[in-house]
Amino acid sequence: MRYLLRDVTTMSVRGLRLVTRDLDAMITAVVLPVIILLLFVLVFGGAVDIGTGYITYVTPGVILLAAGFGAANTALAVERDMSSGMVERLRSMPVAAWTVLTGHVVASLVKNLASTAIVFGVSILMGFRPEATPWEWLAAVGVILLFVAWITWLAALVGVLVRSPDAAGGFTFGVMFLPYVSSAFVPVETLPTWLRGFAEHQPVTPVIETVRALLSGSAGPGGEAALAVAWCLGLGLVSMVAAGLAFRARR
Amino acid sequence: MTAIVTAEGLRKSFARRDPASPPVLDGLDLELEEGAVLALLGPNGAGKTTTVRILTTLLRPDAGRATVAGHDVVRDASRVRELISLTGQQVAVDDKLSGAENLTMMGHLAHLPRRAVRDRVDALLTAFDLADAAGRRVATWSGGMRRRLDLAAGLLTRPRVMFLDEPTTGLDPRSRQALWDVVRGVVADGTSVFLTTQYLEEADRLARRVALVDGGRVVAEGTPAQLKREVGEAGVELVLASPADAALVAPALAVPTPEGARVRVPTDGSVAHVRAVLSAVEATGVVPEHWEVRAPTLDDVFLALTGHAGQERAARPAGVAA
């Protein structure tokens, strides 16, 4: 335990190097979110009439969607470590081997921070005019990162459990649907009743609403924000503990 | 000499995952002397990797006891991990990092003093003839270079025992030779080496003692020379048209009747002996399809000691490298 901080640091440096040198991961982090943003604003944007500019409405959703795509890279990277002999080697050394997961999560957080900045940048160029104070900005990014942390720990869990890269890749499919069936791209009122029930009570909707409220400077998202934080922290902790236990159990 | 690695009565079964599978280890005993090289020689599925995984604290035995430098591998696992290094069947290095980055990372994970990491990394890169490529990504390296880096990663801390699980599988002859030189150097520096291999030649070149494993237990142990003497230095091998022919020829040559159509007679390789063997074959009236004089192989040693060929065992627990 004396070396825990050093191990986590070493693993984080490794995770960051692996991500920044992975062409797939970089395209997913840098290019894909921008394409999705353009797609939603330029292609669907004209048809969706929700009162305000669609770009203002959709930007937070694009960021969360991108986090889901990026998480698949994390699942893949963890799966690779589990099956490539890397974890075996670490387990035969006097290090806390699970820190290898922490390394991938830290890398994912940094990567998503960059994606978030890029999406906001492009979005502002295209006419998005957030009216948030610096504190509200900070809070919005904080909520986004909490969401990313949850999704990434979930991806790490998937990476530990699956036994092939294909199965790890299939993870994207699952998490991709959460933002679609939420208030990320269309108001939930426009959904059929049975779907609305799910959309209103799944974690992505409060996260989206909180980020939206913070960015538009409309004060006091209170309850929604508490719900968003509770969802992300709760699911994040559960995913993290489950990933840790699965990592220990899988031999 | 004192033993640095011991195993007594190791048993391991993966029957929980696959009830039909036989035990992988069935009472395995062995001992590695300090400063020596022990080769665990056997076919796929014999239990070599499972043995290594137990000795390196990755797997708990169902029964039996194993120690490294006097520390129990189950109860004292963390102490054992400080004394060993494991180089598994797969090359466990990051392709997207350079050679130097890989070793530096391992140096930090091995908790070397921060200031010592760089010197140690440079020394190992030079010793393993990797200094020129050190700055390039490992993805661009040859298989032999990657394997050498893999070994170097295990040597950052100067381990007391180095475990090598089939280190040369998949390497070309030249890389294999280079790797053997590296292992000899490691041994010369005082590290004990525990090696598994499918190749008799590899055991022969590197190990002072060889333990032959089959069906999860050690079926023979000795120096390479002793083991080979059991099957003769060379053999006359006859390939017959059918097992029935083989059943006719084998008794005439005073060797056990084989399962297949292949009969092997140990020989000293002299003209007189080979001629005597061929005459005996001729006297049976059976005409072999093919014959040759061959040096003993792992299969021959296996056949002689276990009565069956050293081929891959069919039942292998799913998802477990045996």
Side-chain angles (χ1 to χ4, degrees), chain B residues 102-113:
Chain B
N102 263 293
L103 286 188
T104 304
M105 174 180 88
M106 284 298 165
H108 285 295
L109 292 177
H111 304 147
L112 290 182

Side-chain angles (χ1 to χ4, degrees), chain A residues 3-4 6-7 10-11 14 17-23 80-81 83-96 99 163 251, chain B residues 17 53 56-58 81-82 84 86-87 90-94 96-98 101 105-112 114 117 137 150 153-154:
Chain A
Y3 293 103
L4 196 58
R6 186 175 177 192
D7 292 347
T10 309
M11 292 297 190
R14 168 179 186 259
R17 280 184 174 147
L18 292 182
V19 160
T20 51
R21 295 175 194 183
D22 182 342
L23 190 61
R80 198 176 305 131
D81 280 349
S83 61
S84 72
M86 183 54 82
V87 167
E88 292 272 273
R89 157 159 278 157
L90 295 173
R91 280 183 165 147
S92 73
M93 294 171 67
V95 301
T99 53
R163 308 226 161 203
R251 290 282 142 132
Chain B
R17 285 183 208 162
R53 286 169 54 89
T56 55
T57 78
L58 298 179
R81 288 182 196 135
E82 289 170 10
I84 62 165
L86 166 65
T87 301
Q90 296 163 291
V91 175
V93 295
D94 283 325
K96 294 196 182 81
L97 304 190
S98 73
E101 284 169 343
M105 174 180 88
M106 284 298 165
H108 285 295
L109 292 177
H111 304 147
L112 290 182
R114 277 173 199 282
V117 172
R137 285 190 197 183
D150 198 33

Side-chain angles (χ1 to χ4, degrees), chain B residues 28-293:
Chain B
L28 182 131
D29 305 301
L30 55 80
E31 214 174 86
L32 164 63
E33 282 175 10
E34 175 130 43
V37 181
L38 173 70
L40 211 55
L41 180 66
N44 284 336
K48 300 190 300 291
T49 295
T50 303
T51 305
V52 168
R53 286 169 54 89
I54 288 173
L55 294 176
T56 55
T57 78
L58 298 179
L59 202 65
R60 281 163 172 263
D62 295 339
R65 194 179 119 81
T67 64
V68 172
H71 304 283
D72 190 284
V73 295
V74 176
R75 273 178 295 131
D76 261 343
S78 57
R79 186 78 190 100
V80 169
R81 288 182 196 135
E82 289 170 10
L83 300 171
I84 62 165
S85 86
L86 166 65
T87 301
Q89 267 177 36
Q90 296 163 291
V91 175
V93 295
D94 283 325
D95 278 351
K96 294 196 182 81
L97 304 190
S98 73
E101 284 169 343
N102 263 293
L103 286 188
T104 304
M105 174 180 88
M106 284 298 165
H108 285 295
L109 292 177
H111 304 147
L112 290 182
R114 277 173 199 282
R115 265 166 298 174
V117 172
R118 187 154 179 193
D119 286 347
R120 186 76 186 130
V121 167
D122 287 345
L124 281 168
L125 285 170
T126 307
F128 284 54
D129 198 17
L130 297 168
D132 290 342
R136 290 205 334 253
R137 285 190 197 183
V138 173
T140 65
W141 290 20
S142 72
M145 290 166 71
R146 292 155 55 89
R147 213 26 159 165
R148 294 210 297 281
L149 180 70
D150 198 33
L151 285 192
L155 289 169
L156 284 151
T157 52
R158 304 173 199 273
R160 295 273 298 280
V161 189
M162 189 170 197
F163 289 87
L164 303 175
D165 193 7
E166 301 199 6
T168 63
T169 300
L171 289 190
D172 62 68
R174 223 182 97 226
S175 304
R176 178 169 297 174
Q177 192 71 50
L179 199 107
W180 288 343
D181 288 341
V182 166
V183 174
R184 284 191 199 103
V186 170
V187 177
D189 286 344
T191 300
S192 313
V193 172
F194 188 103
L195 169 85
T196 77
T197 180
Q198 303 189 45
Y199 308 114
L200 184 65
E201 190 196 359
E202 186 159 280
D204 206 356
R205 297 285 187 92
L206 289 177
R208 189 184 298 171
R209 293 192 76 79
V210 175
L212 224 82
V213 275
D214 184 50
R217 50 170 65 222
V218 174
V219 293
E221 213 226 316
T223 63
Q226 281 169 344
L227 285 176
K228 275 194 283 185
R229 229 171 286 137
E230 303 237 8
V231 283
E233 282 302 309
V236 179
E237 187 162 298
L238 303 150
V239 180
L240 301 151
S242 68
D245 278 359
L248 282 175
V249 170
L253 298 171
V255 294
T257 303
E259 286 165 27
R262 206 175 270 263
V263 175
R264 189 171 195 284
V265 189
T267 178
D268 57 7
S270 70
V271 173
H273 185 251
V274 173
R275 180 161 52 205
V277 169
L278 295 178
S279 302
V281 174
E282 203 169 23
T284 64
V286 175
V287 181
E289 291 193 330
H290 173 79
W291 70 271
E292 64 180 331
V293 178

